[in-house]
Amino acid sequence: MLGVRATQVTETFPLDTAAALDLSNQYRITLMDLGESPKTAGLMADWATLLAFHLNQADAAEDILNKAVSMPGLPLERRSQFKLALGDILVFQDDVWGASLLFSQVDLDHKEGVLGQQAKFKNARVSYYTGDFNWAQAQLDILKASTSKLISNDAIDLSLLITDNFNMD
């Protein structure tokens, strides 16, 4: 029910702030009723996304995701997904080094998996944002051979952007 409501609220343009605040309150009440556990960690992540990217409350979202990441009994894959989401929020807050650290942790935990490739791509994008084009290009060259078509295509696109615009002067 909350997922459907979240889709309705977040995919409406312009954002209905009152509806988004009401949805945020519904998440808070639901989590108070059900408690914070590995079973409700997905709700916590969805709430954090709403807060960070739609209600401009990135600090609150960061706190929620930090709770989810440090939750005992959470499977490694879910923990890694939450670290990626937390890294995205840190990039949004301009904490690129904290985000890069989280992306690197996920990359190490899932070296050959899709999550690891997503983390490597996000880390390459952070390097691109910070102007470290050579490092970003090296990571993207690895990702071009990715088993995931989406990650491979994203890596090729960013690599071409860097190549086309690097050393233009």
Side-chain angles (χ1 to χ4, degrees), residues 14 22 28 35 48 51 67 70 99 105 108 130 166:
D22 181 56
R28 185 184 54 75
L51 289 172
K67 277 189 214 176
S70 63
Q105 289 173 358
L108 287 174
T130 58
F166 194 56

Side-chain angles (χ1 to χ4, degrees), residues 57-68:
Q57 298 178 20
D59 290 335
E62 184 181 350
D63 292 342
I64 291 167
L65 277 175
N66 275 324
K67 277 189 214 176

Side-chain angles (χ1 to χ4, degrees), residues 146-166:
S146 171
T147 56
S148 167
K149 275 187 179 179
L150 293 174
I151 294 171
S152 178
N153 288 342
D154 288 344
I156 290 169
D157 286 343
L158 185 56
S159 177
L160 286 173
L161 179 69
I162 292 170
T163 303
D164 290 347
N165 294 296
F166 194 56

Side-chain angles (χ1 to χ4, degrees), residues 9-10 19 22 34 40 42 57 65 70 79 88 94 110 121 150 159 161:
V9 169
T10 59
D22 181 56
L34 299 177
T40 60
Q57 298 178 20
L65 277 175
S70 63
R79 186 178 317 279
D88 289 340
D94 202 28
H110 303 275
F121 177 73
L150 293 174
S159 177
L161 179 69

Side-chain angles (χ1 to χ4, degrees), residues 74-87:
L74 191 66
L76 178 63
E77 186 167 325
R78 291 291 279 172
R79 186 178 317 279
S80 296
Q81 291 169 342
F82 297 155
K83 283 183 178 183
L84 290 177
L86 181 57

Side-chain angles (χ1 to χ4, degrees), residues 28-155:
R28 185 184 54 75
I29 290 169
T30 301
L31 285 167
M32 284 175 56
D33 290 345
L34 299 177
E36 294 175 352
S37 69
K39 291 182 180 181
T40 60
L43 287 175
M44 294 171 70
D46 293 343
W47 184 25
T49 300
L50 174 72
L51 289 172
F53 300 115
H54 299 285
L55 292 173
N56 201 25
Q57 298 178 20
D59 290 335
E62 184 181 350
D63 292 342
I64 291 167
L65 277 175
N66 275 324
K67 277 189 214 176
V69 165
S70 63
M71 192 175 291
L74 191 66
L76 178 63
E77 186 167 325
R78 291 291 279 172
R79 186 178 317 279
S80 296
Q81 291 169 342
F82 297 155
K83 283 183 178 183
L84 290 177
L86 181 57
D88 289 340
I89 290 171
L90 292 177
V91 168
F92 184 68
Q93 292 178 299
D94 202 28
D95 181 5
V96 292
W97 305 119
S100 182
L101 177 65
L102 287 171
F103 296 150
S104 295
Q105 289 173 358
V106 174
D107 184 19
L108 287 174
D109 288 342
H110 303 275
K111 288 183 187 209
E112 302 300 323
V114 174
L115 277 176
Q117 293 171 355
Q118 286 176 341
K120 189 180 289 290
F121 177 73
K122 288 176 183 260
N123 220 354
R125 210 171 46 192
V126 165
S127 296
Y128 167 74
Y129 295 152
T130 58
D132 192 357
F133 301 118
N134 291 326
W135 172 253
Q137 191 69 42
Q139 295 304 304
L140 293 168
D141 287 342
I142 294 168
L143 288 170
K144 287 180 193 177
S146 171
T147 56
S148 167
K149 275 187 179 179
L150 293 174
I151 294 171
S152 178
N153 288 342
D154 288 344

